[in-house]
Amino acid sequence: MFDNRAFTEQQLELFLANYQEGSMWYRRDILGERISLTGSIYPNFDHKKHLNNITKLHKPFVRYFIGMDWGYSGSATAFILVGEHIDGSVQVLDEFYDNSDMRSAQDNLKQALDFIDKHRHYYPVVYPDSADVGMLRDLQRAYPMVHNFGKPKIQDRIRLLDKLLVLDAIKINSVCQHVISSLDNAVFDKMSMYNLRLDNGTYNVDSLDALEYALTDIFVRMERDELTILHK
């Protein structure tokens, strides 16, 4: 990328600010190395830097989002509440996680509505996994701010969440232990040619999915800003 004369020095500085020098993403996207991403997905996740303790929710946020991932046999149901500050940084505020066996669609729907009701006073925008069309419609009938959306590619979701960590633009409430554990344990699938994360039940990917869905609006804006930097 350094050899690309189409970019000004200012553009390069702004773009490089999104990367941790020496990281796999830096080597691939900036240095142009042809590498397969392996090992920990979020080595930049630092408990001392990214965790905080919120005992009472005030209103320092301009918007709230809920991401929802459905679980049935063999996977968990996970919900994540995120608040967005006026500067675009985000705070993971609350979570729900249930990996009990023999859950039905009605169980998932009740849990989802209970979580929405718990935080309804924040008027959150809700992004559920849209693969379950029936669940999506039931939620939309019960709460008007449930949105259908096209999932970004998993590779983009991974990269953009890592970018938030590098920029120290995301904080996680220390009570959200399932989110914390999922970030700690997320690894790339070494058998995949497409830089996918391992999803074989050995760690919790469901909280990661729910978190990424909650960050949908933030991810869209981040991608738009990247294009703006490169085309100024």
Side-chain angles (χ1 to χ4, degrees):
M1 186 173 185
F2 294 106
D3 297 329
N4 193 330
R5 296 183 180 181
F7 300 139
T8 66
E9 185 175 339
Q10 182 183 20
Q11 285 174 315
L12 283 173
E13 287 180 358
L14 289 171
F15 198 74
L16 289 173
N18 299 318
Y19 290 86
Q20 182 76 33
E21 187 172 357
S23 69
M24 290 182 291
W25 301 105
Y26 182 92
R27 291 170 57 197
R28 190 192 70 170
D29 296 347
I30 304 303
L31 300 182
E33 296 181 16
R34 294 184 177 181
I35 62 171
S36 177
L37 301 181
T38 59
S40 174
I41 294 180
Y42 301 111
N44 296 304
F45 178 46
D46 183 338
H47 285 210
K48 291 182 179 179
K49 180 189 294 185
H50 296 115
L51 301 189
N52 59 13
N53 185 15
I54 296 178
T55 56
K56 185 177 180 181
L57 300 185
H58 299 289
K59 291 278 290 185
F61 305 103
V62 293
R63 294 194 299 171
Y64 296 84
F65 303 96
I66 292 175
M68 296 185 159
D69 187 57
W70 312 118
Y72 295 98
S73 178
S75 62
T77 292
F79 311 141
I80 307 296
L81 174 70
V82 168
E84 181 187 11
H85 292 285
I86 195 169
D87 64 0
S89 62
V90 294
Q91 169 75 52
V92 177
L93 297 166
D94 194 16
E95 69 174 359
F96 173 87
Y97 183 84
D98 180 9
N99 64 348
S100 58
D101 292 332
M102 305 301 292
R103 274 167 291 114
S104 67
Q106 286 303 310
D107 293 330
N108 281 337
L109 179 61
K110 183 181 184 306
Q111 290 170 337
L113 292 176
D114 286 347
F115 192 78
I116 290 173
D117 284 342
K118 178 181 179 182
H119 301 294
R120 187 182 288 262
H121 55 292
Y122 295 123
Y123 302 102
V125 175
V126 179
Y127 287 109
D129 185 348
S130 55
D132 190 331
V133 177
M135 184 72 70
L136 176 66
R137 289 174 180 168
D138 287 341
L139 281 175
Q140 287 175 327
R141 281 193 287 266
Y143 183 68
M145 295 178 71
V146 174
H147 288 193
N148 192 1
F149 71 105
K151 294 181 189 178
K153 292 191 302 182
I154 181 63
Q155 296 92 336
D156 291 332
R157 286 152 47 194
I158 290 171
R159 180 181 62 83
L160 291 168
L161 180 52
D162 185 66
K163 179 177 174 180
L164 287 174
L165 293 167
V166 169
L167 297 176
D168 195 18
I170 184 169
K171 301 291 184 185
I172 300 167
N173 191 351
S174 59
V175 301
C176 297
Q177 288 296 310
H178 294 289
V179 173
I180 295 166
S181 174
S182 66
L183 288 167
D184 280 334
N185 293 295
V187 292
F188 286 105
D189 184 350
K190 63 182 180 181
M191 302 303 292
S192 172
M193 299 172 57
Y194 305 103
N195 297 322
L196 302 178
R197 64 176 167 232
L198 185 65
D199 186 1
N200 65 354
T202 55
Y203 70 95
N204 168 22
V205 298
D206 307 290
S207 291
L208 280 178
D209 283 335
L211 174 59
E212 290 162 355
Y213 300 159
L215 295 173
T216 295
D217 279 25
I218 287 88
F219 285 168
V220 169
R221 192 178 318 121
M222 290 168 70
E223 289 191 308
R224 185 181 64 230
D225 290 346
E226 287 178 350
L227 290 174
T228 300
I229 288 171
L230 294 178
H231 291 88
K232 279 184 177 179

